[in-house]
Amino acid sequence: MKRLALAALLLPQAALAHPGHHDDGQFLSGLTHPIGGADHLLAMVALGLLAAQIGGRALWALPLAFVGSMIAGGLAGYAGLAFPGVEPMILASVIILGALVAMAARLPLAVLLPGVGVFGFAHGWAHGAEGPAQGLALYAVGFAVATMALHLAGIALGKAAQNGALLRGLGGGTAAAGLVLAMVG
């Protein structure tokens, strides 16, 4: 966990914001956007870890709720609708999702899904607001595919971490990294 926090401290500032300008507006640009910032990457994987930890319907419901809300948020961002505090919300998603995994929280899906939806909307808004002026459809498909792949990677990692302490440690490390990102941002 100390190594993860140290690595986050050494990240360049560009990893926190969403600096990319997507001039080509194509699928590849959308595909790379979610992995271009530590905040996005950590949140996507943490959601997969949480889904794996809870199991059952959460394995598909949490990622689908996130991606569906993310697409809606992407459209809102692209349309220029205001979303004050989007960056703090994105950082909060990293911290909260990581903390839920660290605490092995077993909240009902009726509570988790709306929260995941808000986080997905925020991440999507950032993608859409920084997206291309043209080629939005291919860009959106790209960032949706990348996000789902990161969720699936988190699920696989969570399933591989058979030891509950290891999974909780991954969640704690994610939350700690989110706190570090919030402090340096």
Side-chain angles (χ1 to χ4, degrees), residues 27-56:
F27 177 78
L28 186 59
S29 182
L31 194 65
T32 59
H33 191 89
I35 59 174
D39 49 0
H40 287 295
L41 188 97
L42 288 167
M44 304 310 144
V45 174
L47 183 85
L49 291 172
L50 182 62
Q53 188 176 55
I54 295 171

Side-chain angles (χ1 to χ4, degrees), residues 9 13 52 54 81 90 118 162:
L9 279 173
Q13 184 67 19
I54 295 171
L81 298 177
I90 289 171
V118 169
Q162 298 284 327

Side-chain angles (χ1 to χ4, degrees), residues 138-153:
L138 286 174
Y139 174 76
V141 170
F143 77 67
V145 167
T147 297
M148 189 57 80
L150 290 168
H151 291 328
L152 292 173

